[in-house]
Amino acid sequence: MARPDKAAAVEELKQQFENSDAVLLTEYRGLTVAQMQNLRVSLGENVSYAVVKNTLTAIAAKEAGINDLDEFLSGPTAIAFINGEPPEAAKALRNFAKANSQLVLKGGYWDGAVLSAEDVNKLADLEPREVLLAKAAGAMKASLHQAAYLFTAPMVKAVRTVDALREKQDDAPASDA
């Protein structure tokens, strides 16, 4: 029989898994309380970073429909529950890990897929959403410009041909006289 406090902890973790856009798992062994506080601040308002018990986390993840996190749930584990843009949180974790070697990125879960530590680093390398949208808009604008050019090119060519023929006709009677 599960203790009520453990059942409540599992339910809370389950809710966080279900309500998060992504989760990133880390090992925090060796970090001081001050360093953990700095990490939480650097992650921003849209990320909840919590130290978790591996067994309870595994149960909560399974109840939330996430089955493949067991490989990351060994040793001291802390999870970043992300409500917002996962690349920003991944970048903050990676930057903090570079400055503090005790923090180790284990992996994560995003958009229905389990992420390895390498995948989390690739996620951190993504440009901000606004930059990606601007690039997509620029590519579409260039494509539209090219399409408009292709549609007008035959008409422009026809007009130039007619003008050339008209000039040729205008020149032809003047030389015959």
Side-chain angles (χ1 to χ4, degrees):
M1 181 59 85
R3 292 190 349 216
D5 58 335
K6 288 187 178 181
V10 167
E11 184 60 30
E12 183 181 344
L13 284 170
K14 177 186 169 200
Q15 292 297 320
Q16 286 184 308
F17 275 114
E18 291 174 343
N19 296 332
S20 297
D21 295 323
V23 293
L24 300 176
L25 289 87
T26 64
E27 182 175 322
Y28 63 92
R29 186 184 327 226
L31 290 177
T32 65
V33 173
Q35 289 172 320
M36 291 286 280
Q37 186 62 32
N38 288 339
L39 174 58
R40 285 185 176 99
V41 169
S42 71
L43 288 171
E45 296 176 5
N46 296 329
V47 180
S48 169
Y49 187 74
V51 173
V52 295
K53 291 193 175 285
N54 292 333
T55 307
L56 300 180
T57 302
I59 294 168
K62 283 185 175 70
E63 287 182 9
I66 303 170
N67 296 317
D68 300 327
L69 291 182
D70 293 341
E71 66 183 283
F72 305 123
L73 295 174
S74 62
T77 304
I79 300 180
F81 294 99
I82 303 164
N83 295 313
E85 296 296 322
E88 292 175 15
K91 190 174 294 185
L93 282 170
R94 184 185 63 187
N95 291 343
F96 191 86
K98 283 181 183 178
N100 300 283
S101 61
Q102 298 92 347
L103 183 74
V104 177
L105 294 172
K106 290 183 174 183
Y109 184 82
W110 179 40
D111 203 26
V114 174
L115 304 173
S116 67
E118 182 180 309
D119 293 334
V120 174
N121 282 322
K122 287 180 184 176
L123 183 62
D125 288 334
L126 284 178
E127 294 175 325
R129 182 176 189 266
E130 294 77 19
V131 172
L132 293 174
L133 288 173
K135 285 183 176 182
M140 285 191 286
K141 181 181 175 189
S143 296
L144 289 174
H145 177 70
Q146 186 178 14
Y149 175 76
L150 288 174
F151 289 130
T152 60
M155 289 185 284
V156 170
K157 192 173 186 181
V159 168
R160 287 185 183 150
T161 304
V162 169
D163 280 345
L165 287 173
R166 191 174 297 142
E167 281 183 26
K168 187 174 181 182
Q169 278 183 343
D170 289 345
D171 290 343
S175 60
D176 288 337

